[in-house]
Amino acid sequence: MVSKLSTPLLVTILVSLPALSGENVVYQVDGANYEGYWSKASDSAPLVVLVHDWDGLTDYEMKRAHMLNDLGYNVFAVDLFGQGVRPTEVADKKAHTGELYKDRMKLQKLMNSGIQKAGAMGGN
C-alpha cells in the first residue's frame, strides 16, 4: 500500500535530481566517423580532453566527464576507435588498442582531431 505522503516525496526526489547534460558528437577523421562526447560546465570553463580506455568511449567516461564538470571544467571525451566501435571481448580490445600502439601517427591524428572538435564546440 502506498501512502499519500510517499507520492509527493518521490516526485520531489525525481525533480531534484541533477540532469546530466552532455551530447554525443560525430566528427570525421580521414573520412571515417568518430563519436566523441561533449559535456559543458560553462562558457568560460577550461577544457579537459578525456581519453577512454581499451573498451572505447562508454558510460564510464561520460560519468567522469560530469564529475569534471562539477569541478568547473568543460570536457570532450575523444573517440579513438570509431563510431559505434565498443569492444567487449578481450581479444577485440587488444586488437583495437594494439593498432594504435603500432601506428602512433594515427593516434596523434585522432587526438588532434578530437581536440579540434572540442575547440569547435567551445572548448578553451
Side-chain angles (χ1 to χ4, degrees), residues 3-61:
S3 73
K4 291 181 181 181
L5 291 177
S6 65
T7 303
L9 179 61
L10 178 61
V11 170
T12 301
I13 290 171
L14 290 175
V15 170
S16 65
L17 289 175
L20 296 179
S21 61
E23 61 182 300
N24 293 319
V25 178
V26 177
Y27 56 102
Q28 287 197 331
V29 181
D30 292 338
N33 286 340
Y34 289 80
E35 186 174 13
Y37 185 75
W38 169 248
S39 187
K40 182 177 176 179
S42 73
D43 288 338
S44 61
L47 174 67
V48 170
V49 176
L50 184 65
V51 180
H52 61 76
D53 60 10
W54 72 338
D55 55 351
L57 203 161
T58 65
D59 289 341
Y60 178 81
E61 286 76 23

Side-chain angles (χ1 to χ4, degrees), residues 34-36 52 55-58 79 81-89:
Y34 289 80
E35 186 174 13
H52 61 76
D55 55 351
L57 203 161
T58 65
D79 179 11
F81 293 162
Q83 185 178 20
V85 179
R86 306 298 182 251
T88 57
E89 301 296 324

Side-chain angles (χ1 to χ4, degrees), residues 107-119:
L107 176 59
Q108 184 176 12
K109 182 180 271 191
L110 292 170
M111 288 297 300
N112 286 335
S113 296
I115 291 168
Q116 288 175 1
K117 187 61 179 181

